[in-house]
Each structure stands twice: as structure tokens, then as C-alpha cells.
Amino acid sequence: QLQLQESGPGLVKPSETLSLTCNVSGVSIINRSYYWGWIRQPPGKGLEWIGNIFYSGTTYYNPSLRSRVSVSVETSRMQFSLKLRSVSATDTAIYYCVRHWGGGHIDYWGPGTLVTVSS
Amino acid sequence: DIQLTQSPPSLSASVGDRITISCRTTRGIGNYLAWYQQKPGKVPRLLIYDAATLQSGVPSRFSGSGSGTDFTLTISSLQPEDVATYHCQKYNSVLLAFGGGTRVEIK
């Protein structure tokens, strides 16, 4: 059974870089059927797609975040990671790592981790 | 970029009612649409993908329809455990996006 688990600091200062890692267990991260990605949800608001990555390293990003975001994968460690640069209070959100079937719909979600941007 | 608009933003209905939630896109996306249920304080759960395919384990009172720019999620008989926010998501291209969500409550 696939499990996803986010890890990283829960508090980040404005203008700094938010860094999160997602550990994948139960299935191989190397699979042509899936993409791995990040979704966020500000408190009380809707879902926002951040970006996703194929095991080969191919990435796709939300145009509104593209200038600040990068997603990477370490297949040997069964992990993929998110970096969001120059954060501000508007980046405060629950961050979920997810699996996209065929790069499309999301069939597995991590439990999510709240990241607060504050000095 | 294609935008997704859900309506209504919220609704209140009685147990046993049939309810429908709309998701409209600014350009056609074929049938590349999914619906998720998010109960308060919980992680979203996939209900329907490819506009009308029910995810394994999802009760049959949930159904999806539509193609192109107009999509609908229907709950045929609302149950107390269906109190949640429902989100649509498009995936017709590598650029993914969500609708704003519809909150469903029980009268």
C-alpha cells in the first residue's frame, strides 16, 4: 500500500526558501504510470497545484509559481522534494505531496504539513 | 490558462436530497476532469476521474457527468457523512488546476 509522508520545517521566515521532502513507501517511485507532485491549501481556502515531476526528472510547474519553485526527485532514496524561494505570508498553507495517475488525477495524498511564513 | 468555476460556492440540503455541483471551464478539456471530497480537517479523497468514472470504494450515490466545458457532480441521496467541500480538477494538459470548491452542508 502506497504511503506518502511530507517532512520539513513548519515555520519559515519571509524572503527565505521553503523546503519540503516527500518520502514514498510501498511502491517504487520509478514507474511510467505516475507523476509525483505538490499541492497546497491556504487555511480556509481552495486547492492550488504547485508542480509535479516524473521519475526521470521531467517537471511541470504552475505558471503563477514557476519563477520561484523547483521540484526534484531522488529515486535511490524514494523521495521527491519541493523548494519555494522568496516566500511571503501568502505562501502559508498546508502542503500535500501526491501521486498523479498518468500525470492527471490524484489517487494518493500525503497527510499534509502546515507551513507558516512568519518572522 | 484554463480557469475552473464551481457553482454554487456552498449549498445546504436535507438528508435524502439529490444535489448537483457544477464545474465549468473556460475552454474545452474533453473528459479530463476529476472530483474530490474533502471532509473538514481531512485530506482530499478522489471520487471520480475522467469525468464519470467512479473511483474504487466510492459509494454509488456519487456520479459525474459532462464533457467539454460543463461538468456535474451529483449526489443522488445526500447522507450526513457527505458533509464536505467538493473540488473539481482539470488535467487535459500538463498544467493542472482546481476549481474554487463547493461546501455542502446538511439543513
Side-chain angles (χ1 to χ4, degrees):
Chain A
Q1 176 77 355
L2 171 64
Q3 289 192 322
L4 303 172
Q5 181 65 56
E6 306 88 354
S7 61
L11 181 65
V12 181
K13 290 183 169 54
S15 80
E16 295 190 345
T17 297
L18 179 160
S19 296
L20 295 174
T21 296
C22 182
N23 287 285
V24 179
S25 61
V27 296
S28 174
I29 202 168
I30 301 174
N31 189 305
R32 293 180 182 274
S33 297
Y34 312 123
Y35 278 71
W36 308 92
W38 293 94
I39 307 292
R40 71 180 182 178
Q41 184 171 35
K45 296 189 177 180
L47 301 169
E48 180 178 31
W49 171 65
I50 299 172
N52 55 24
I53 189 165
F54 197 53
Y55 74 89
S56 62
T58 300
T59 53
Y60 301 101
Y61 299 127
N62 186 323
S64 69
L65 297 170
R66 182 175 292 137
S67 63
R68 299 193 291 130
V69 70
S70 63
V71 178
S72 59
V73 64
E74 287 191 68
T75 55
S76 61
R77 301 183 69 176
M78 293 283 283
Q79 293 178 340
F80 60 101
S81 299
L82 168 70
K83 290 190 186 299
L84 183 64
R85 297 175 290 276
S86 303
V87 298
S88 68
T90 58
D91 295 309
T92 293
I94 297 173
Y95 286 76
Y96 297 99
C97 63
V98 301
R99 187 179 82 171
H100 294 268
W101 175 271
H105 64 269
I106 300 165
D107 58 354
Y108 280 92
W109 299 69
T113 186
L114 174 64
V115 179
T116 301
V117 179
S118 175
S119 55
Chain B
D1 299 350
I2 297 175
Q3 308 298 318
L4 290 80
T5 301
Q6 286 185 236
S7 60
S10 64
L11 68 87
S12 181
S14 300
V15 173
D17 282 354
R18 177 186 180 90
I19 69 165
T20 61
I21 297 169
S22 170
C23 179
R24 290 187 170 173
T25 61
T26 52
R27 290 203 309 274
I29 62 169
N31 68 336
Y32 295 105
L33 189 99
W35 290 96
Y36 302 88
Q37 175 193 62
Q38 186 177 26
K39 296 184 178 181
K42 300 297 186 182
V43 177
R45 167 198 182 195
L46 176 66
L47 295 178
I48 288 166
Y49 60 95
D50 294 347
T53 302
L54 202 64
Q55 173 72 344
S56 175
V58 174
S60 59
R61 64 180 180 274
F62 291 92
S63 64
S65 63
S67 67
T69 60
D70 291 334
F71 301 86
T72 301
L73 173 69
T74 300
I75 306 177
S76 60
S77 177
L78 187 66
Q79 300 301 304
E81 60 266 32
D82 300 335
V83 169
T85 298
Y86 293 84
H87 308 273
C88 60
Q89 178 224 339
K90 69 100 176 172
Y91 50 95
N92 65 304
S93 76
V94 296
L95 301 183
L96 311 180
F98 290 90
T102 295
R103 180 178 294 183
V104 174
E105 298 176 338
I106 301 289
K107 277 184 187 174

